[in-house]
Amino acid sequence: MGPPGAGKGTQAAYICGKFGIPQVSTGEMLRAAVAARTPVGLRARRVMDAGELVADDIIVDLVKERIRQPDCRNGFLFDGFPRTLPQAQAVVDARITIDHVVEIRVSDAGVVERISGRRVHETSGRIYHVTFNPPTVEGLDDETGEQLVQRDDDREETVRERLRVYHTETHPLVSFYERLSDTTNLRFSAVDGSGSVEQISEAISAVLNAR
Ligand code: AP5
Ligand code: MG
């Protein structure tokens, strides 16, 4: 977990590669639904463009269906889920075991800097930054050579709203998981997200390897 632009998707790619598990990113799933104009996508589009959260029941159903797929049998990484207390409670109620929650801490100013330079490859979800993580050829995806784009919700006023929503709706999950880590096998770790992509990757590896 972490605010918008903290580097959740960037780090998820490393962790999933290392452990051979799929990345279950609710943001990516919703963007795919929007692109495919499914009923969920049609409902989610306006909410996402405004920087608000999609309804808990839609999200919980999406996630439950996703983790029933065979590739999730040996585990999975949640990216951007759960992000409200009702979603976190739904995970507990469904007896879905979370081994480790990692919070990536980045200041609001850091978030704005990262998001303003973000470019993505729409079909794969690969993430770049014009300065901090540039593609080999400017503006083009490393693997397919296709054009990179800016996300629709990366406009400055939407980013400010996403940050506000993070602080009010999602950040309370930190104490929720800290409490759960006192009474169950779940582990909670916070890492400083202000360093380079590699430094944060190492910090996350260290807390995961310490299990
Ligand atoms: P989602 O797609 O999850 O967006 P988000 O939480 O706002 O997070 P981002 O994807 O913007 O950032 P990130 O932390 O993944 O950072 P990234 O690695 O890209 O959700 C989008 C929307 O969908 C939500 O607003 C909501 O409407 C809806 N939604 C999704 N899940 C939901 C849920 N569970 N419930 C309800 N609604 C939901 O990195 C950012 C940039 O920084 C990149 O350019 C990257 O290259 C760069 N970067 C990364 N690390 C570093 C570093 N260490 N140093 C410098 N630059 C870096
Ligand atoms: Mg992301």
Side-chain angles (χ1 to χ4, degrees):
M1 63 178 293
K8 300 183 296 292
T10 301
Q11 297 300 331
Y14 287 102
I15 299 167
C16 289
K18 190 168 163 190
F19 288 92
I21 53 172
Q23 173 183 355
V24 176
S25 161
T26 41
E28 291 297 328
M29 288 158 72
L30 290 168
R31 280 185 286 281
V34 168
R37 297 176 173 275
T38 67
V40 165
L42 293 173
R43 282 179 68 184
R45 183 179 190 148
R46 232 174 317 127
V47 180
M48 292 170 77
D49 281 351
E52 309 300 334
L53 294 178
V54 175
D56 290 330
D57 54 341
I58 295 183
I59 297 288
V60 169
D61 285 350
L62 269 181
V63 169
K64 282 185 176 168
E65 194 189 317
R66 176 66 187 89
I67 66 174
R68 273 199 292 267
Q69 305 304 311
D71 63 332
C72 289
R73 217 172 277 148
N74 294 324
F76 43 82
L77 178 85
F78 283 144
D79 161 11
F81 173 86
R83 65 210 264 164
T84 64
L85 285 167
Q87 290 178 19
Q89 191 56 48
V91 170
V92 173
D93 295 344
R95 297 180 189 277
I96 299 164
T97 310
I98 295 182
D99 300 306
H100 209 133
V101 176
V102 179
E103 181 200 6
I104 305 177
R105 291 193 175 152
V106 177
S107 68
D108 287 7
V111 159
V112 172
E113 190 182 26
R114 288 183 186 183
I115 288 189
S116 59
R118 172 163 55 194
R119 300 292 181 274
V120 295
H121 179 239
E122 229 170 356
T123 41
S124 70
R126 268 186 292 281
I127 305 161
Y128 301 87
H129 189 283
V130 289
T131 316
F132 305 131
N133 190 16
T136 312
V137 180
E138 191 184 328
L140 301 181
D141 178 49
D142 284 349
E143 288 193 22
T144 62
E146 289 166 352
Q147 199 73 43
L148 301 176
V149 297
Q150 264 192 297
R151 262 168 52 177
D152 287 339
D153 59 348
D154 281 354
R155 280 170 294 122
E156 197 182 329
E157 75 264 25
T158 314
V159 172
R160 248 184 270 119
E161 179 60 12
R162 284 160 60 199
L163 268 171
R164 190 193 66 74
V165 169
Y166 179 78
H167 291 302
T168 55
E169 303 282 332
T170 308
H171 196 260
L173 295 186
V174 168
S175 7
F176 179 90
Y177 283 118
E178 277 173 342
R179 273 201 307 276
L180 260 191
S181 73
D182 289 338
T183 52
T184 68
N185 287 330
L186 178 143
R187 288 209 31 215
F188 175 86
S189 309
V191 300
D192 174 9
S194 63
S196 68
V197 171
E198 292 74 23
Q199 283 168 332
I200 297 160
S201 241
E202 280 165 23
I204 294 177
S205 282
V207 297
L208 294 181
N209 288 337
R211 283 190 69 83

